[in-house]
Amino acid sequence: MAYQKEYGGRNDGPASAHTLSADATMLNHVFVGTNLWDSPLRKSDIADMPKRSLDTIVNNRSLTSNEWLERHETLYVRNEQLIDTARAFGLRRSELIAGGRYDRALNTGSFFINEAGKLSVATVGKGGKYRLAEVTEEYAPKMRVYYAQYARPISELPEEKEFKENLGHYERFFSQNNHDIPIHIHRAYYAQTKFDEINRQYRGQNDVYKKITYDRNGQKVIRSVSGSEQIKIGTKEGSYGAFMQVSENLGHNRLDVLNNYLK
């Protein structure tokens, strides 16, 4: 099937590997699901199918953010502000780049600054969750160059309803949704870097969190956990409270999700 040549992507160019993969999945759902095809279309059957694996995977392991930058220097230079912002704040693609029915992309109304001069991004993540994501120490100087001129005092942070209502009133920074840039690994870089930073500084011995687990009968069990309790998630060991703060910065409210980032 000469799918790659016959089906053009944006600007009538050849479709990307991401587009072809998504379309193959859609076709399988439709034609296999309605019994019009006996077997699913395999991506390897598509003529001239571009290779995605070399961009993000090596030796059956996902590239780290730093490894990706080393292998894609030219692409990084062309998209430096976008990639650095992803690494600095840990934002999702949908929180960075304009597009979609509900546009929540980074804009001139996203930035807030505290009394110490540290930037945070107010954003709306999955499920409409409103949160602040604080910049890492590593990228704080560079992000001030990019965005300090737009930042409002943290004391002026609007309530959730007001923030969401005004999302469309500001200018977006990024509008090109380049799927050659794997935002998720740069988001993971943020999680790892931010955890090391918070855990090193953590002084929340008096913090108490509610931890929900389930017993062998499937019954919910809620217990109190001290913020200073030491635990391990992925490759990281540290304070329960530090992990919780990283999770909140990423837009999650439970710690098991951090396994996806702290590898």
Side-chain angles (χ1 to χ4, degrees), residues 81-82 85 89 96 106-107 111 119 121 142-151 173-174:
Q81 183 173 346
L82 171 65
T85 301
F89 293 103
L96 277 167
L106 193 73
N107 59 66
F111 294 93
L119 287 172
V121 167
K142 196 168 189 178
M143 294 301 106
R144 280 197 296 269
V145 172
Y146 285 147
Y147 305 117
Q149 62 181 308
Y150 308 106
F173 288 103
F174 309 110

Side-chain angles (χ1 to χ4, degrees), residues 39-244:
S39 59
L41 170 67
R42 297 176 302 176
K43 298 178 183 69
S44 58
D45 292 335
I46 301 175
D48 302 319
M49 177 68 178
K51 303 296 184 184
R52 299 179 66 195
S53 59
L54 296 180
D55 286 339
T56 57
I57 299 176
V58 58
N59 297 330
N60 297 316
R61 175 182 59 80
S62 295
L63 292 178
T64 65
S65 178
N66 286 334
E67 288 170 340
W68 187 91
L69 294 185
E70 291 174 0
R71 290 168 178 254
H72 300 85
E73 184 177 357
T74 300
L75 189 57
Y76 168 67
V77 170
R78 292 202 304 265
N79 299 274
E80 181 175 352
Q81 183 173 346
L82 171 65
I83 295 170
D84 285 349
T85 301
R87 284 162 61 96
F89 293 103
L91 300 178
R92 299 178 176 91
R93 183 179 297 275
S94 59
E95 297 167 342
L96 277 167
I97 302 170
R101 184 172 58 182
Y102 180 40
D103 191 348
R104 55 189 178 222
L106 193 73
N107 59 66
T108 53
S110 299
F111 294 93
F112 295 85
I113 192 166
N114 65 15
E115 293 179 354
K118 179 168 282 190
L119 287 172
S120 291
V121 167
T123 187
V124 179
K126 283 186 176 179
K129 186 176 182 181
Y130 178 45
R131 77 178 192 282
L132 275 179
E134 186 182 69
V135 71
T136 60
E137 292 177 345
E138 175 189 10
Y139 275 101
K142 196 168 189 178
M143 294 301 106
R144 280 197 296 269
V145 172
Y146 285 147
Y147 305 117
Q149 62 181 308
Y150 308 106
R152 289 173 280 171
I154 199 73
S155 59
E156 297 180 12
L157 181 69
E159 295 294 328
E160 179 176 349
K161 181 179 179 181
E162 179 186 351
F163 182 81
K164 290 181 176 180
E165 287 176 348
N166 289 321
L167 273 173
H169 298 166
Y170 295 97
E171 181 181 353
R172 270 51 176 163
F173 288 103
F174 309 110
S175 59
Q176 185 176 0
N177 197 353
N178 190 338
H179 286 284
D180 290 334
I181 301 172
I183 298 298
H184 63 284
I185 62 175
H186 303 309
R187 180 167 154 84
Y189 177 83
Y190 171 85
Q192 295 155 14
T193 305
K194 196 63 180 173
F195 172 77
D196 290 339
E197 175 187 321
I198 294 176
N199 191 54
R200 185 176 66 250
Q201 302 170 353
Y202 188 74
R203 298 293 183 272
Q205 287 82 354
N206 296 324
D207 294 345
V208 177
Y209 297 89
K210 296 296 183 183
K211 183 178 182 180
I212 299 175
T213 57
Y214 293 86
D215 63 21
R216 64 181 59 188
N217 297 318
Q219 298 298 310
K220 182 186 292 187
V221 178
I222 302 176
R223 72 178 181 91
S224 296
V225 180
S226 167
S228 59
E229 180 176 318
Q230 298 294 296
I231 62 172
K232 181 177 182 180
I233 298 179
T235 60
K236 300 291 186 180
E237 295 185 43
S239 301
Y240 190 95
F243 283 111
M244 282 298 300

